[in-house]
């Protein structure tokens, strides 16, 4: 009997490990084993995307630009905001629940043959199976965590992209930028071209050293592929490159790096034989919407949802708020997992705020970690916050209180700290993933 989606989701979530483990070096081997048992050898081109910031945005931009060329394109990303199907998209549309259920059910018996299998290996294999069945021409595959020991290392990409590197998952990837870069640099393969966003010097050197060691042609956007970021606007971000202005639908100056990296990837694929036109690429880039990344979901008063959950993302969010809402009071709704560096994140955001609502992040099937709102409030006070501070029991109450405050003060509200929190907010607001 065919599984329902609920049965399939429960099956997939059953592979989530209840406690956070150190980096698992066997993850790629297990993913290769499951792919082999499922007889899934991709017949499509693959672009692998690793990094700290902007992986999802860059992946979505490149996938849309490829699709606009008339190609059939798969997109695999994580985490999801509201529904598991968001992780597997074909031509920009999340896979149908019944289709994902079919692919997961087909893997049930095979999963028993691979000891210690984890959620990411199962979902990656289901995605590859879905892309094969849909006969995609290209798939853009976002790494889950790190790179060197990520499940996506089981695949053989045609191009590797490294987005901006920064401090996240430091308990697993290391406390220094060089250590983090070492994990990400593990995605570089012998003979496989690689492109990197602009990096801090210590991260760039690690990438160069690894590229030289394995024999991967590596180029840096901004250095080997120069461009100029144009001022941010609420209609999206733009860059100038090669005498042409390119625009995308994503908001914030930080999206310039992601847009440039996606465009450089398109040029690289073109040099390897992919036929594409600037007009079609621009059409695809303009259509991109990536929920939870400076997503303005209301304008009167403004309500922004942003998944910023590390220092660099918080700094980018703060810069964008300063640029686009320079004269508005800012109300901050914040919640984060206990593993996140909330002191650093709040240090970047509190100077902009006039009122704060701390909220406990609720557990989900995909993540059982919970942060305590009172602890976050105490942290804000320790950082010197002396303004309005509330800890409502539910996110619904936080949204209601913050939006009422914004209407009274002609301010704007930003919610951030966790993509799962953003997903919960979108559900409360009645928003769906298109």
């Amino acid at each position: 009997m065919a599984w329902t989606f609920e049965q399939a989701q429960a099956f997939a979530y059953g592979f989530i490990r209840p406690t956070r483990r150190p980096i698992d070096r066997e993850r790629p081997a297990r993913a290769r084993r499951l792919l082999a048992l499922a007889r899934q050898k991709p017949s499509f081109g693959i672009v692998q995307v690793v990094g700290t910031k902007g992986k999802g945005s860059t992946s979505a931009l490149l996938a849309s630009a490829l699709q606009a060329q008339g190609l059939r394109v798969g997109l695999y990303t994580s985490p999801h905001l509201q529904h598991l199907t968001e992780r597997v998209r074909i031509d920009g549309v999340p896979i149908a629940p019944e289709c994902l259920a079919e692919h997961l059910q087909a893997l049930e018996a095979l999963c028993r043959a691979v000891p210690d299998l984890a959620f990411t290996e199962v979902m990656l294999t289901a995605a590859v199976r879905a892309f094969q069945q849909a006969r995609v021409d290209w798939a853009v595959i976002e790494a889950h965590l790190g790179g060197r020991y990520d499940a996506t290392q089981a695949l053989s990409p045609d191009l590797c992209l490294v987005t901006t590197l920064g401090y996240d998952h430091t308990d697993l990837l290391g406390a220094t930028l060089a250590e983090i870069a070492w994990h990400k640099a593990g995605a570089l393969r012998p003979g496989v071209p690689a492109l990197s966003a602009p990096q801090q010097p210590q991260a760039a050197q690690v990438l160069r050293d690894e590229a030289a060691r394995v024999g991967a042609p590596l180029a840096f956007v901004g250095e080997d592929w120069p461009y100029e970021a144009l001022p941010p606007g609420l209609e999206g971000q733009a860059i100038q490159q090669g005498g042409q202005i390119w625009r995308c639908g994503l908001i914030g100056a930080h999206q310039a790096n992601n847009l440039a990296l996606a465009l450089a990837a398109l040029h690289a694929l073109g040099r390897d034989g992919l036929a594409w036109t600037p007009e079609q690429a621009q059409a695809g880039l303009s259509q991109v919407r990536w929920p939870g990344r400076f997503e303005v979901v209301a304008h009167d008063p403004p309500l922004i949802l942003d998944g910023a959950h590390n220092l660099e993302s918080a700094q980018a969010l703060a810069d964008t708020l300063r640029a686009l809402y320079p004269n508005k009071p800012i109300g901050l709704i914040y919640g984060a997992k206990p593993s996140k560096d909330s002191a650093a994140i709040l240090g970047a955001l509190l100077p902009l705020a006039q009122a704060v609502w701390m909220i406990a992040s609720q557990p989900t099937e995909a993540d059982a970690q919970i942060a305590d709102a009172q602890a976050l409030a105490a942290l804000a006070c320790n950082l010197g916050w002396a303004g309005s501070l509330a800890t409502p029991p539910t996110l619904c109450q936080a949204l209601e209180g913050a939006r009422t405050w914004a209407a009274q003060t002609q301010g704007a509200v930003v919610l951030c700290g966790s993509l799962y929190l953003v997903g919960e907010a979108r559900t409360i607001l009645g928003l769906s993933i298109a």
Side-chain angles (χ1 to χ4, degrees), residues 48-121:
Q48 183 186 20
V49 184
V50 303
T52 305
K53 291 197 307 176
K55 286 186 298 179
S57 297
T58 301
S59 298
L61 287 164
L62 178 57
S64 187
L66 288 169
Q67 184 187 339
Q69 311 303 320
L71 298 168
R72 196 153 173 76
V73 182
L75 175 61
Y76 177 70
T77 59
S78 64
H80 61 272
L81 295 182
Q82 295 168 267
H83 204 274
L84 184 63
T85 56
E86 298 167 32
R87 295 175 180 245
V88 183
R89 301 177 190 235
I90 298 169
D91 288 345
V93 180
I95 189 171
E98 61 272 18
C99 289
L100 183 56
E102 174 194 336
H103 293 298
L104 287 168
Q105 186 174 9
L107 298 177
E108 181 189 19
L110 304 178
C111 289
R112 299 194 195 102
V114 185
D116 206 28
L117 203 61
F119 173 73
T120 53
E121 292 104 84

Side-chain angles (χ1 to χ4, degrees), residues 145-179:
L145 189 152
R148 190 174 298 272
Y149 303 118
D150 188 71
T152 58
Q153 287 296 94
L155 303 175
S156 298
D158 299 89
L159 177 66
C160 179
L161 305 183
V162 184
T163 66
T164 305
L165 301 183
Y167 296 93
D168 198 11
H169 301 292
T170 53
D171 56 327
L172 298 175
L173 302 180
T176 70
L177 199 55
E179 290 174 307

Side-chain angles (χ1 to χ4, degrees), residues 89-398:
R89 301 177 190 235
I90 298 169
D91 288 345
V93 180
I95 189 171
E98 61 272 18
C99 289
L100 183 56
E102 174 194 336
H103 293 298
L104 287 168
Q105 186 174 9
L107 298 177
E108 181 189 19
L110 304 178
C111 289
R112 299 194 195 102
V114 185
D116 206 28
L117 203 61
F119 173 73
T120 53
E121 292 104 84
V122 175
M123 284 302 300
L124 177 65
T125 305
V128 170
R129 196 175 190 275
F131 295 156
Q132 285 283 81
Q133 189 177 91
R135 298 182 180 180
V136 303
D137 301 297
W138 282 89
V140 182
I141 307 286
E142 177 190 346
H144 306 95
L145 189 152
R148 190 174 298 272
Y149 303 118
D150 188 71
T152 58
Q153 287 296 94
L155 303 175
S156 298
D158 299 89
L159 177 66
C160 179
L161 305 183
V162 184
T163 66
T164 305
L165 301 183
Y167 296 93
D168 198 11
H169 301 292
T170 53
D171 56 327
L172 298 175
L173 302 180
T176 70
L177 199 55
E179 290 174 307
I180 293 168
W182 181 84
H183 279 278
K184 310 292 185 179
L188 304 181
R189 323 289 180 88
V192 177
L195 292 167
S196 173
Q199 306 290 356
Q200 295 186 46
Q202 57 269 47
Q205 190 58 54
V206 172
L207 293 175
R208 287 192 175 95
D209 291 345
E210 184 70 4
R213 188 184 72 81
V214 303
L218 172 65
F220 284 84
V221 170
E223 184 177 322
D224 304 301
W225 200 82
Y227 71 94
E228 178 186 355
L230 299 182
L234 284 171
E235 70 284 353
Q237 183 58 42
I239 65 170
Q240 185 167 357
Q241 200 282 328
Q244 183 170 348
I245 292 177
W246 298 88
R247 303 183 186 279
C248 74
L250 304 181
I251 299 172
H254 57 287
Q255 292 292 355
N257 282 348
N258 303 328
L259 174 56
L261 186 56
L263 276 168
L266 201 57
H267 279 83
L269 295 175
R271 288 193 295 272
D272 284 342
L274 176 71
W276 66 281
T277 69
E279 294 77 16
Q280 289 171 315
Q282 180 58 79
L285 294 168
S286 297
Q287 293 169 2
V288 174
R289 299 295 182 270
W290 199 233
R293 284 72 171 182
F294 207 93
E295 181 185 15
V296 183
V297 297
H299 292 277
D300 190 21
L303 173 60
I304 301 109
L305 308 181
D306 194 286
H309 56 271
N310 57 48
L311 173 59
E312 289 82 6
S313 294
Q315 289 171 333
L317 172 59
D319 290 343
T320 304
L321 288 168
R322 289 189 185 98
L324 300 183
Y325 298 102
N327 300 315
K328 281 191 175 293
I330 301 296
L332 175 67
I333 301 175
Y334 182 81
K337 296 189 294 186
S339 60
K340 297 302 178 183
D341 188 357
S342 287
I345 298 168
L346 290 171
L349 293 171
L350 287 176
L352 276 76
Q354 280 73 46
V356 176
W357 291 259
M358 294 298 185
I359 189 73
S361 58
Q362 297 302 309
T364 68
E365 298 94 335
D367 197 324
Q369 295 188 71
I370 307 173
D372 180 70
Q374 298 298 332
L376 291 174
L379 175 60
C381 293
N382 289 340
L383 291 170
W385 177 257
S388 174
L389 178 61
T391 56
T394 68
L395 178 56
C396 188
Q397 288 170 291

